[in-house]
Amino acid sequence: MPIMRKLKTSIDDQFWQNYRQLVKDELIPYQWSVINDEVDVKIQKENANAFDAVEKSHAIQNLKIAAGQASGEFYGFWFQDSDVYKWLEAVAYALRYSPDVQLQQNADQLIDLIEAAQQPDGYLDTYFQLTSPELKFKHVSFSHELYCMGHYIEAGVAYYQTTGNQTALDIAVKMAACISHHFGPEPEKLHGYPGHPEIELALAKLADVTGNPQYTDLGKYMIDQRGTEPNFFEVQAKARQNSGVQDRFDSFDNEPRAKYFQNQSPVREMTTAEGHAVRMTYLLTGMAHVARQTRDQSLMDACRRLWDNITRHRMYLTGGIGSTVSGEAFTFDDDLPNDTMYAETCASCAMTFFAKQMQEAAPDGQYADLMERELFNGTISGMSLDGKHFFYVNPLAVDPQASANDPTKSHVKVTRADWFGCACCPPNLARLIASVDEYIYTIKDDTIYLDQFIGNESEFDNGLSLHVSGRYPWTDQIEIVVTAKQPIATRLAIRIPTWSQQNFQVSIEGRSNPLQTGTNVSATDLRNGYLLLDQTWSGSTKISLKLDLSVRQTQADPHVVADLGKIAIERGPLVYCLEEVDNGNHLPQLSLPLHTTFTETFDKSSLAIPFIKLTTSGQRITTQPQHLYETAGLQTTTTQTVELIPYFAWANRAPGEMIVWVDEATAESTV
Amino acid sequence: MPIMRKLKTSIDDQFWQNYRQLVKDELIPYQWSVINDEVDVKIQKENANAFDAVEKSHAIQNLKIAAGQASGEFYGFWFQDSDVYKWLEAVAYALRYSPDVQLQQNADQLIDLIEAAQQPDGYLDTYFQLTSPELKFKHVSFSHELYCMGHYIEAGVAYYQTTGNQTALDIAVKMAACISHHFGPEPEKLHGYPGHPEIELALAKLADVTGNPQYTDLGKYMIDQRGTEPNFFEVQAKARQNSGVQDRFDSFDNEPRAKYFQNQSPVREMTTAEGHAVRMTYLLTGMAHVARQTRDQSLMDACRRLWDNITRHRMYLTGGIGSTVSGEAFTFDDDLPNDTMYAETCASCAMTFFAKQMQEAAPDGQYADLMERELFNGTISGMSLDGKHFFYVNPLAVDPQASANDPTKSHVKVTRADWFGCACCPPNLARLIASVDEYIYTIKDDTIYLDQFIGNESEFDNGLSLHVSGRYPWTDQIEIVVTAKQPIATRLAIRIPTWSQQNFQVSIEGRSNPLQTGTNVSATDLRNGYLLLDQTWSGSTKISLKLDLSVRQTQADPHVVADLGKIAIERGPLVYCLEEVDNGNHLPQLSLPLHTTFTETFDKSSLAIPFIKLTTSGQRITTQPQHLYETAGLQTTTTQTVELIPYFAWANRAPGEMIVWVDEATAESTV
C-alpha cells in the first residue's frame, strides 16, 4: 500500500476561522509594521528586573545594514533576527488559507533582503555580523546564533512549501551548510550544541523537505553532544579566557546553569524536564522528530520519559509549563503554584509542537488530547480576542494588587500588552494558529487519525476526503462525512477525548458495514483513545459523533500543594475560570460545592466571540474580623451566584482578579 | 511625686537564662572570632541572586587600617563596621548579667581602636575612609554611613551605661557632632536623611543618656525631611552627576525606589508600612522615641497609624514582617504568603524595638502582647537551640525541595547557617536577648507596668521591689511578690495577655487591701489589657496569677489568601508548628479538625530544652491518583497522630518540611 499523504485541508470552523483571520488581519500586519519600525509601540517590560525594554524593533533595519543596503548600527536584542523569521513563517501558513498578493510580495522582498544579508559562507546573524564578527560561534551557550538560523530554516521551509520560492529554501540550505561546516564530530569542528535548542527541530524539518538525511544527522549530533563531558560551554568559556576575549554574555555565566539549558546530563539519561521550559520543549520536539526519522528507540524512550514527567508532574491544567519566573523554568515534581508561575505562551506552543511530534511517531490519544488542551487553553490565552494584545505569562490566579506591589509577581500581568521588547510569544502563537490545520490529522501507516474536531474539508492522495463539521467546542454533535471516489480500504481512527470516554455516542450511516453501525460503543472498544473504523469506504459515509460536554469538576493530585482543597471547572476541552468582573473581588473567598449543577448559557454579547457561560451557586466568606488573627471556627458565609467563562477568554473586559482553582466548599460552610 | 526609675533587674527564668547564656557563651565569643578573622566561617549566601558571599569578616582589620595600626585594603560589605558595633552593644548588655573581666578588657581595647579610627571631625566609616573619602556623605541613600555610626552610638551608649567607659560615650558624642555639622536646616548643610534609618533612634538614645535635646532635634530633622521635595536622594544624584563622580552604588539607582527606603511621602502622611521592613521599623522606632521626647502628637499619630497597619494587615502570626524577598519588603495589605516571605530575624527584632517605644509613650497591652509574640516566636526562631546557627529568613512553611529547586525560594533555608556574609541578624538577636530585661517593665507616671512574665527580681528607686517567678511559658501559674521597704503608694499594672482575657485568675494575699482580693476578676476590669492594682504597698504582698494556657486554634482574616481554610495552633505566647521529623513528609496533606483536643506532654529529651509538645489526631490524604488531574470528589484520608512543637524550636533536628498553618479538616474528610 502506498504511503498516504494529506493533500490539502481547508478549515471551516467558526472558532478557529476567527483566530486565523485575526492572525492574518491583525497580527501579521501589526508585526510587519513593528519590525519595520513603522508604529510607535508601547513596549511592556517582562518583569520588574527585566532588561530595559527596547524602544523599537529595528529588526528589518538590522538586516538592511548587514546587507549593505543601509547604514547604522545594530539595535535590539541579540536574537532580534528571529522576530523576522517567525513573522515570515506565520505568513507562509496564512497565505495557504488567505492568499494575498501584496503580502506575498512583501515576503518575497524580505527573502531577497535576507539573502543579501546572508554571508557567502551561509552564516546569518546580524548581531554578530554588525557588532562582533570575531565572536561568531565563540559563545554558543548564550549567543542564539543557531536559534536565529533555526527559526529562519523553519520559515524558509514553510515559505518554500507554500509558494515554491526557491530562494527561501536555498538560504536555509546554505545556513545548514555553514552550521555543518562549524559543528560536527570531526576534530577541527565545534563539538557542541546551542544554549537555546531550536536548530535541531529546524534541521529535521529541512531533512523532511529536502529528503537529505545529513541535516537530521547534524541535529542528532547536537542532541547527543548535549550534556557530555567535557562540557562544551565550559570548553568555549576557557577558550575565550585564553584568547582574552570578553563579551556581553560573560555576565550570564556566573551561576551554574546546566539545567537552565539542559546540559546537566546526556539527553538519553534525563528523567525529569528541567530548566527553561521553552528550551526544554524545543529540544524535545527536535529529539522526537529525529528519533522518528532515524528510528532511534532509545531516543524516543527518553522523549517518552520526559513527556510522562511533564504531563504527570509539571504541567498546569491549562497546559502551561514553567513553574517559576526565575529562568522561566521547570522546578520540581508537583510544584505548580498558580500565581507566581511563568507558563509562557511560547512554552505552550512548544508543548504543542512536542505533542505533535510524539503523535507522528506513535499515535496515541494522549498526545492529541494534550494538543487540544494547549490549543484551547494555554496557547490562545496569550492573545486577546481582538488579536491586538498579548500575554507572555499565562497565570492561573491573578490579583492586580500583587502584580503591582509584589516585585516577585511583577511578571504576572493583569492586562495583555501591545507588544514586547522580547517579542517571541506573539509570532509564535501566530505561526501555531496559522498552521492549526496541520494538527487535525495524523497519518501513520494505513490509518488516518482524526485528532482534532476542528471543522475542515480535507483530501487525501488515496482519493478519500473528509468533511468534519460541528460547533465544537460549544456543542457536542460532530459530523464526519467520509467520501471515497472509488472504494478505498483505509482505517479511520477517531479520537475520543479522555474526558468523554465514559460517555460518547457514535452512529454510522451509509452503504458500508463498519465494525459498529448505528450502535453505541464503549470505552473498552477504544484503542489508545481512538475509535477504529476499519472498512472499505465507498461513496459518502456519515459518521455522527456525540461527545460528553457536561461540566466537570476536576481536582489535582494531592501532591500539588497549590491546588489542595480546590477544584477546577472544565467543559469539553475548555478550562473555565472566574473573573472579578463577573463575581466581585476577593475571588479566593469564594467556594463551590462538589457535585453542584451548572447552568449553561450561550452568551453572544459579553465577549467578542459567542461562548458558553457557566453559572452555579457558590459560597462567599463574609467574616469581617476585628483582628488579623482570631479564634478559628467563627467564619460566616453567604450564597452567591458564581459565573465562569473559558480560561482562554479572560482579561478581555475590565481588568481584575482571576482564578482557575476554586476552594471546595466544606459541608460546614454550606450550612 | 518623683519620677520612678528601675534601678536594676536580674533575670531568674529558666527559659530566658538559657538564651542569655547562649548569647554570652556562644554567640559573643563566636562573633568576636569572626570579626577578628580567627575562624574559618562557612558563609551562606542569602539567596541564589545575592552578592557573592564574603570569605571573611575583616571588620576589625578595617578599623585597624583606618586607625593606621595595620596596612592593607578595606574588605567586606560597605556596612561591615556595623557588625563590630552590634557585637559591642551585645557585650554591653551581657556584662550586666554576666561580668567577665577578659571580655570587658577586649571591649575596652576595641573602643580604643574605634577611637583611633575615628577622624578628628568625628567621622567614622572605614569603607569611605579607606576606599573613597571623596564620596563621604555624597550618596547617603545607599552609603550606610549614618547606619554604621548609628549602631556605634547605640553601642557606645550601652557600653557607657554598663561600664562607665567615658571614651565609649565620647566617640558617640563626636560622631553626633560630625553628623550635626553636615546635616541640618542651615543652607550650607545637607537637607537629608539616610537611606537606611537607624541614626534617628540612636540619636534619641544619645539624647536620653546625655540629657542633651539637640540630638533628638537632629534626628527629628531627618525624620521630617524624609519624603519632602526636592527629593534629597535625587538632589545628591544630580550633584554627583554634575561633578562627574561615579560609585558602586550608582547601579542601585536604576529603579524607582522611593518606597524601598520610605521616602515616598513625608512620614506624617504615611498610612501604610512600605518598603524594606527593617528600614521601616527602625524608622518607626526612632519616630516613636522622638515623638515621646518632644511630645509631638502628630508624629505619634503617624506611628500609631503605621503600627495599626502592620499589626492588622502586614504581620505574620509569628510576628514576622516583610512579605517578599524582593527588597526584603512589605507588599500590600493582607498579603502574607507563608513560603516565599522574608520575615527577617532583624525585622522581628526591630518590631520589638518599635513596640517598646510605643509602650514607653502610652502603655497598652497590645504593645506588650506584641513584644511577647516577637520574643517567643519570630526573633528567637532566628537562632538554633545550641546558639551556633542562624536564620535570616523565618518562614511559616518550608519544603526542602522548593528551597533547592525553585530559585525564587532559595532564600528560604531549611537549616540554619553558621554565619552570613551580611551578618546583621545574629548580633541583632544577641543584643535583643542580652537586653531582654529591659522589656519586662514599663514605668509611666505613677505606674509600674509588668509587661512580660519573665522571672526576675527588680528594684525601683521608690523602695519597691518585685519578684516574678513561674515556669512560663510552659505552666500557667505566675507568682509576683511585691516588697516595700516602707509603705509606698504605687499603681502596679499587670498585663493580661489578649488570649487569656476571657479566662484568668488573680488572687492577692497579704496585709494590704487591693481593689480585688482573693477574687476572680473579669475582662471588663482590665484597662488597656492591664489589671490595675492601686494601693499602698507595704511589707510583702504575694500576687498569684493564673493565665489560660489552653491550646488555641487560630484563623487569619479571610483576606489573607495564603491562610484561607487553614488553622494555626497556639498555646500561651507560643505559635506551634508541624515538622516532617515528627509527622512524615507532605505536611500540606495533613489536616486538623476544628475543636479537637490536644494532649500536652512535657518533653525533656527531644530538644536541647524541655518544652511542651502537643499531640492530636488529624487526617492525612491518602489518594494516589493515576493522573495529575482527575475527577474531583474521590479523595480518601486516613487518621494520623499529629505532633506539634513550638515554632521557635523548629529546624533543630533532621532537616525537612515545616508548616505553621494546617488545613482545616472538612466534615467530609473526617468521615
Side-chain angles (χ1 to χ4, degrees):
Chain A
M1 180 184 289
I3 294 169
M4 266 191 297
R5 282 199 310 124
K6 183 170 62 103
L7 295 176
K8 63 175 184 183
T9 295
S10 65
I11 285 187
D12 169 21
D13 181 283
Q14 193 184 28
F15 189 92
W16 287 102
Q17 274 291 69
N18 171 58
Y19 272 101
R20 281 153 74 90
Q21 278 315 120
L22 286 177
V23 167
K24 174 66 169 45
D25 298 342
E26 300 292 340
L27 228 167
I28 287 176
Y30 186 71
Q31 197 193 354
W32 180 245
S33 62
V34 168
I35 60 180
N36 280 286
D37 304 323
E38 290 166 1
V39 283
D40 195 19
V41 192
K42 202 176 91 188
I43 287 175
Q44 191 181 54
K45 292 181 74 166
E46 281 177 65
N47 63 64
N49 301 315
F51 296 101
D52 287 335
V54 291
E55 285 159 21
K56 56 186 172 186
S57 164
H58 211 256
I60 295 286
Q61 193 66 13
N62 290 337
L63 284 163
K64 286 184 179 165
I65 299 168
Q69 297 174 7
S71 61
E73 292 186 351
F74 180 91
Y75 181 91
F77 284 99
W78 57 100
F79 44 81
Q80 206 81 352
D81 292 355
S82 63
D83 288 2
V84 176
Y85 306 150
K86 276 193 274 189
W87 177 85
L88 180 62
E89 189 182 347
V91 168
Y93 302 132
L95 289 174
R96 295 180 194 175
Y97 62 83
S98 181
D100 182 325
V101 174
Q102 180 60 52
L103 179 61
Q104 188 166 345
Q105 197 176 311
N106 288 347
D108 285 340
Q109 288 172 0
L110 175 61
I111 284 162
D112 292 341
L113 172 61
I114 293 168
E115 185 189 29
Q118 188 176 31
Q119 294 192 165
D121 66 351
Y123 184 92
L124 178 52
D125 185 297
T126 65
Y127 172 78
F128 285 92
Q129 288 171 239
L130 300 180
T131 72
S132 43
E134 74 285 2
L135 279 167
K136 285 178 193 170
F137 293 138
K138 292 270 195 300
H139 201 153
V140 181
S141 56
F142 286 104
S143 70
H144 281 64
E145 292 157 286
L146 295 171
Y147 172 85
C148 288
M149 287 194 261
H151 270 300
Y152 176 80
I153 292 169
E154 283 200 274
V157 164
Y159 196 74
Y160 164 76
Q161 288 178 314
T162 302
T163 66
N165 183 318
Q166 187 64 42
T167 308
L169 186 62
D170 291 347
I171 295 167
V173 167
K174 278 181 69 180
M175 276 182 186
C178 169
I179 296 164
S180 176
H181 180 75
H182 287 277
F183 291 83
E186 296 81 355
E188 73 281 8
K189 293 186 181 177
L190 295 169
H191 303 149
Y193 46 87
H196 196 315
E198 155 67 23
I199 189 67
E200 303 87 341
L201 71 88
L203 288 168
K205 283 187 173 184
L206 188 62
D208 279 346
V209 74
T210 61
N212 184 340
Q214 77 178 36
Y215 302 127
T216 296
D217 293 343
L218 179 56
K220 186 174 184 177
Y221 174 75
M222 290 180 171
I223 286 168
D224 277 329
Q225 275 301 105
R226 185 172 290 275
T228 59
E229 292 294 333
N231 183 312
F232 173 62
F233 298 154
E234 289 171 14
V235 169
Q236 287 215 311
K238 268 185 208 142
R240 288 193 305 277
Q241 219 168 6
N242 292 340
S243 62
V245 175
Q246 283 199 325
D247 68 28
R248 63 184 293 180
F249 310 114
D250 286 337
S251 62
F252 301 158
D253 287 335
N254 292 337
E255 291 288 327
R257 281 186 178 259
K259 284 186 176 175
Y260 175 75
F261 31 48
Q262 296 83 38
N263 75 340
Q264 73 275 27
S265 75
V267 300
R268 290 168 202 262
E269 296 171 17
M270 292 179 184
T271 55
T272 52
E274 300 291 351
H276 190 276
V278 175
R279 293 173 194 238
M280 181 80 246
T281 36
Y282 275 22
L283 175 62
L284 286 166
T285 304
M287 282 165 62
H289 199 156
V290 165
R292 171 165 56 93
Q293 288 174 326
T294 60
R295 299 174 187 277
D296 184 331
Q297 190 57 46
S298 98
L299 192 57
M300 183 51 72
D301 290 346
C303 291
R304 181 60 202 234
R305 264 198 310 278
L306 295 166
W307 168 273
D308 287 346
N309 177 248
I310 294 172
T311 57
R312 182 60 188 83
H313 293 291
R314 300 185 178 210
M315 188 184 75
Y316 288 90
L317 187 64
T318 55
I321 50 173
S323 294
T324 180
V325 59
S326 183
E328 310 175 1
F330 292 104
T331 52
F332 57 98
D333 280 357
D334 309 315
D335 180 46
L336 295 161
N338 292 307
D339 58 347
T340 55
M341 75 293 91
Y342 210 63
E344 187 182 342
T345 304
C346 277
S348 275
C349 292
M351 197 64 200
T352 318
F353 305 152
F354 177 36
K356 177 61 176 167
Q357 286 303 327
M358 294 300 284
Q359 175 76 348
E360 291 284 347
D364 191 309
Q366 67 174 305
Y367 303 129
D369 275 3
L370 184 73
M371 284 186 251
E372 181 174 65
R373 185 173 290 281
E374 297 289 2
L375 287 171
F376 281 104
N377 300 284
T379 57
I380 56 172
S381 59
M383 187 167 81
S384 61
L385 294 175
D386 65 4
K388 295 177 180 174
H389 304 88
F390 306 92
F391 277 137
Y392 229 85
V393 170
N394 295 277
L396 280 80
V398 168
D399 177 353
Q401 283 199 88
S403 299
N405 297 303
D406 181 354
T408 66
K409 291 181 181 161
S410 61
H411 63 292
V412 181
K413 307 297 184 192
V414 180
T415 52
R416 293 179 181 83
D418 287 355
W419 202 251
F420 305 100
C422 176
C424 55
C425 293
N428 223 344
L429 187 55
R431 67 181 181 142
L432 176 65
I433 292 171
S435 64
V436 76
D437 50 298
E438 298 293 325
Y439 296 85
I440 299 174
Y441 297 100
T442 301
I443 301 172
K444 188 80 177 175
D445 304 326
D446 62 341
T447 305
I448 297 174
Y449 293 86
L450 175 61
D451 296 334
Q452 305 301 333
F453 304 110
I454 297 173
N456 75 94
E457 283 197 64
S458 296
E459 290 176 26
F460 298 83
D461 67 351
N462 59 2
L464 213 64
S465 66
L466 267 76
H467 184 193
V468 178
S469 60
R471 291 177 72 198
Y472 195 76
W474 310 121
T475 57
D476 55 7
Q477 288 287 352
I478 294 154
E479 190 178 276
I480 303 156
V481 178
V482 185
T483 306
K485 287 177 182 166
Q486 67 282 344
I488 303 163
T490 296
R491 177 185 280 175
L492 178 64
I494 300 172
R495 177 176 65 101
I496 307 300
T498 303
W499 40 262
S500 190
Q501 287 177 4
Q502 298 308 316
N503 181 21
F504 67 94
Q505 292 169 29
V506 62
S507 62
I508 304 173
E509 297 170 0
R511 292 191 299 111
S512 42
N513 183 31
L515 291 178
Q516 298 90 9
T517 304
T519 58
N520 287 348
V521 288
S522 74
T524 53
D525 298 324
L526 302 179
R527 206 163 105 195
N528 291 335
Y530 283 87
L531 177 70
L532 306 184
L533 303 178
D534 272 305
Q535 74 173 73
T536 299
W537 306 92
S538 78
S540 182
T541 310
K542 190 168 107 180
I543 304 164
S544 294
L545 176 65
K546 189 179 178 188
L547 296 177
D548 181 4
L549 291 190
S550 53
V551 176
R552 310 192 301 283
Q553 293 185 314
T554 300
Q555 72 188 15
D557 183 312
H559 293 89
V560 180
V561 175
D563 300 338
L564 269 173
K566 294 182 198 294
I567 50 176
I569 307 303
E570 298 182 278
R571 182 182 180 277
L574 297 173
V575 175
Y576 272 70
C577 70
L578 283 70
E579 281 199 297
E580 181 176 339
V581 65
D582 295 319
N583 300 289
N585 65 356
H586 301 311
L587 292 179
Q589 295 185 7
L590 287 171
S591 59
L592 293 178
L594 270 182
H595 314 304
T596 185
T597 54
F598 292 83
T599 305
E600 303 187 1
T601 314
F602 201 66
D603 184 329
K604 296 181 175 175
S605 59
S606 299
L607 296 171
I609 57 164
F611 71 102
I612 286 185
K613 183 171 72 179
L614 303 178
T615 310
T616 191
S617 176
Q619 296 293 317
R620 179 181 274 278
I621 297 171
T622 50
T623 320
Q624 298 284 352
Q626 195 185 345
H627 300 108
L628 181 52
Y629 302 108
E630 293 203 337
T631 303
L634 304 174
Q635 212 130 280
T636 55
T637 62
T638 185
T639 301
Q640 176 185 323
T641 299
V642 173
E643 292 187 12
L644 299 101
I645 67 162
Y647 170 75
F648 74 81
W650 87 275
N652 279 284
R653 295 173 293 167
E657 296 177 30
M658 182 275 291
I659 56 171
V660 167
W661 291 96
V662 195
D663 273 4
E664 181 189 324
T666 60
E668 175 194 18
S669 66
T670 53
V671 166
Chain B
M1 179 185 288
I3 294 169
M4 267 190 295
R5 282 199 308 123
K6 184 168 62 104
L7 295 176
K8 63 176 183 184
T9 295
S10 64
I11 285 186
D12 170 20
D13 181 283
Q14 194 184 25
F15 188 92
W16 288 103
Q17 275 290 70
N18 171 59
Y19 272 100
R20 280 153 76 88
Q21 278 315 121
L22 287 177
V23 167
K24 174 66 169 45
D25 299 342
E26 299 291 342
L27 228 166
I28 287 175
Y30 185 72
Q31 197 193 355
W32 180 244
S33 61
V34 168
I35 60 180
N36 280 285
D37 305 322
E38 291 165 1
V39 282
D40 195 18
V41 192
K42 201 176 91 189
I43 286 175
Q44 190 181 55
K45 291 181 72 167
E46 282 177 64
N47 62 65
N49 300 314
F51 296 100
D52 287 335
V54 292
E55 286 159 20
K56 56 187 172 181
S57 165
H58 210 257
I60 296 284
Q61 195 66 13
N62 290 337
L63 284 163
K64 286 185 179 165
I65 299 168
Q69 298 174 7
S71 60
E73 291 186 352
F74 179 91
Y75 182 91
F77 283 97
W78 58 101
F79 43 83
Q80 206 81 350
D81 291 355
S82 62
D83 287 3
V84 176
Y85 306 149
K86 277 194 273 190
W87 178 85
L88 181 61
E89 189 182 346
V91 168
Y93 302 132
L95 288 175
R96 295 180 194 174
Y97 62 83
S98 180
D100 181 326
V101 173
Q102 180 60 51
L103 179 61
Q104 187 167 345
Q105 198 175 310
N106 288 347
D108 286 339
Q109 288 171 359
L110 175 60
I111 284 161
D112 293 341
L113 172 61
I114 293 168
E115 185 187 28
Q118 187 175 34
Q119 295 191 166
D121 66 351
Y123 184 93
L124 178 52
D125 185 294
T126 66
Y127 172 78
F128 285 93
Q129 288 170 238
L130 299 180
T131 73
S132 43
E134 73 286 1
L135 278 167
K136 284 178 194 170
F137 294 138
K138 292 270 195 298
H139 201 154
V140 180
S141 56
F142 287 105
S143 71
H144 281 63
E145 293 158 286
L146 296 171
Y147 172 86
C148 288
M149 288 195 258
H151 270 300
Y152 177 79
I153 293 170
E154 284 199 271
V157 164
Y159 196 73
Y160 165 76
Q161 288 178 314
T162 302
T163 66
N165 183 319
Q166 187 64 41
T167 307
L169 186 62
D170 290 347
I171 295 167
V173 167
K174 277 180 71 179
M175 277 181 186
C178 168
I179 295 165
S180 175
H181 179 75
H182 286 277
F183 291 83
E186 295 83 355
E188 73 281 6
K189 294 186 180 177
L190 294 169
H191 303 149
Y193 47 87
H196 196 316
E198 155 67 22
I199 189 67
E200 303 87 340
L201 71 87
L203 288 169
K205 284 187 172 183
L206 188 61
D208 279 347
V209 73
T210 61
N212 185 340
Q214 78 178 34
Y215 302 127
T216 297
D217 294 342
L218 179 57
K220 186 174 183 176
Y221 173 75
M222 290 179 171
I223 287 167
D224 278 327
Q225 275 301 103
R226 186 173 288 274
T228 59
E229 291 296 333
N231 183 312
F232 173 63
F233 298 154
E234 289 170 13
V235 169
Q236 287 214 310
K238 269 187 206 140
R240 288 194 305 278
Q241 221 170 4
N242 292 340
S243 62
V245 175
Q246 283 198 324
D247 68 30
R248 64 185 290 181
F249 310 114
D250 287 337
S251 62
F252 301 158
D253 286 334
N254 293 336
E255 291 288 327
R257 280 186 178 260
K259 283 185 177 177
Y260 175 76
F261 30 47
Q262 297 82 38
N263 76 340
Q264 72 275 28
S265 74
V267 300
R268 290 167 202 263
E269 295 170 17
M270 292 177 182
T271 55
T272 53
E274 302 289 351
H276 190 277
V278 174
R279 294 173 194 237
M280 180 81 245
T281 36
Y282 274 24
L283 174 62
L284 285 166
T285 304
M287 282 165 62
H289 198 156
V290 166
R292 170 164 57 92
Q293 288 174 325
T294 60
R295 300 173 186 275
D296 184 331
Q297 190 56 47
S298 99
L299 191 58
M300 183 51 71
D301 290 345
C303 291
R304 181 59 202 236
R305 261 196 313 277
L306 295 165
W307 168 273
D308 287 344
N309 177 248
I310 294 172
T311 57
R312 182 60 188 81
H313 293 290
R314 301 186 178 209
M315 188 184 75
Y316 289 90
L317 187 64
T318 55
I321 50 172
S323 293
T324 180
V325 59
S326 182
E328 310 175 1
F330 292 104
T331 52
F332 56 97
D333 279 358
D334 308 313
D335 180 47
L336 295 162
N338 292 308
D339 58 347
T340 55
M341 75 294 90
Y342 211 63
E344 187 182 343
T345 305
C346 276
S348 275
C349 292
M351 197 64 199
T352 318
F353 305 152
F354 177 35
K356 177 62 175 166
Q357 285 304 327
M358 294 300 283
Q359 174 77 348
E360 291 285 348
D364 191 310
Q366 67 174 303
Y367 303 128
D369 274 3
L370 184 74
M371 283 186 252
E372 180 173 65
R373 184 172 290 280
E374 298 288 1
L375 287 170
F376 280 104
N377 299 285
T379 57
I380 56 173
S381 59
M383 185 166 85
S384 60
L385 294 175
D386 65 4
K388 294 177 179 173
H389 304 87
F390 306 92
F391 278 138
Y392 228 85
V393 170
N394 296 276
L396 279 80
V398 168
D399 177 354
Q401 283 200 89
S403 299
N405 296 303
D406 181 354
T408 66
K409 291 181 182 162
S410 61
H411 62 292
V412 182
K413 307 297 185 192
V414 180
T415 52
R416 293 179 182 84
D418 287 356
W419 202 252
F420 305 100
C422 176
C424 54
C425 292
N428 223 345
L429 186 55
R431 66 180 183 145
L432 175 66
I433 292 171
S435 63
V436 76
D437 50 297
E438 298 294 326
Y439 297 85
I440 300 174
Y441 297 100
T442 300
I443 299 171
K444 188 79 178 178
D445 303 327
D446 61 341
T447 306
I448 298 173
Y449 293 85
L450 175 62
D451 296 334
Q452 305 301 333
F453 304 111
I454 297 173
N456 76 94
E457 284 196 62
S458 297
E459 288 176 25
F460 298 83
D461 67 350
N462 59 1
L464 215 63
S465 67
L466 268 76
H467 184 194
V468 177
S469 60
R471 292 176 71 198
Y472 196 77
W474 310 121
T475 57
D476 56 7
Q477 287 287 352
I478 294 153
E479 188 178 277
I480 303 156
V481 178
V482 185
T483 306
K485 289 177 182 165
Q486 67 284 339
I488 301 163
T490 296
R491 175 186 280 175
L492 178 64
I494 300 172
R495 177 176 66 102
I496 307 299
T498 303
W499 41 262
S500 190
Q501 288 177 4
Q502 299 307 316
N503 181 21
F504 65 95
Q505 291 170 29
V506 62
S507 62
I508 303 173
E509 297 170 359
R511 294 193 296 111
S512 43
N513 183 31
L515 292 176
Q516 298 90 9
T517 305
T519 59
N520 286 349
V521 288
S522 74
T524 52
D525 298 324
L526 302 179
R527 206 162 105 196
N528 291 336
Y530 283 87
L531 177 70
L532 305 185
L533 302 178
D534 271 306
Q535 73 173 71
T536 300
W537 307 89
S538 77
S540 182
T541 310
K542 190 168 108 181
I543 305 165
S544 294
L545 175 67
K546 188 178 178 189
L547 295 177
D548 180 5
L549 290 190
S550 54
V551 176
R552 310 192 300 283
Q553 293 184 315
T554 301
Q555 73 188 15
D557 183 311
H559 293 90
V560 181
V561 175
D563 300 338
L564 270 172
K566 294 181 196 297
I567 49 176
I569 307 302
E570 298 182 277
R571 181 182 181 277
L574 297 173
V575 175
Y576 273 70
C577 71
L578 283 71
E579 281 199 297
E580 181 176 339
V581 65
D582 295 318
N583 300 288
N585 65 357
H586 301 311
L587 291 180
Q589 295 184 8
L590 288 172
S591 59
L592 293 179
L594 270 183
H595 314 304
T596 185
T597 53
F598 292 83
T599 304
E600 303 186 2
T601 315
F602 200 65
D603 185 330
K604 294 181 177 176
S605 60
S606 299
L607 296 171
I609 58 165
F611 70 102
I612 286 186
K613 183 170 72 179
L614 303 179
T615 311
T616 190
S617 177
Q619 297 292 318
R620 178 181 276 278
I621 298 171
T622 51
T623 320
Q624 298 283 354
Q626 194 185 346
H627 300 107
L628 181 52
Y629 301 108
E630 293 203 337
T631 302
L634 303 174
Q635 212 131 280
T636 55
T637 61
T638 186
T639 300
Q640 175 183 324
T641 299
V642 172
E643 292 187 12
L644 298 102
I645 67 161
Y647 170 76
F648 73 82
W650 86 276
N652 278 283
R653 294 172 294 167
E657 297 177 29
M658 182 277 291
I659 56 171
V660 167
W661 291 96
V662 194
D663 273 3
E664 181 189 324
T666 59
E668 176 194 16
S669 66
T670 53
V671 166

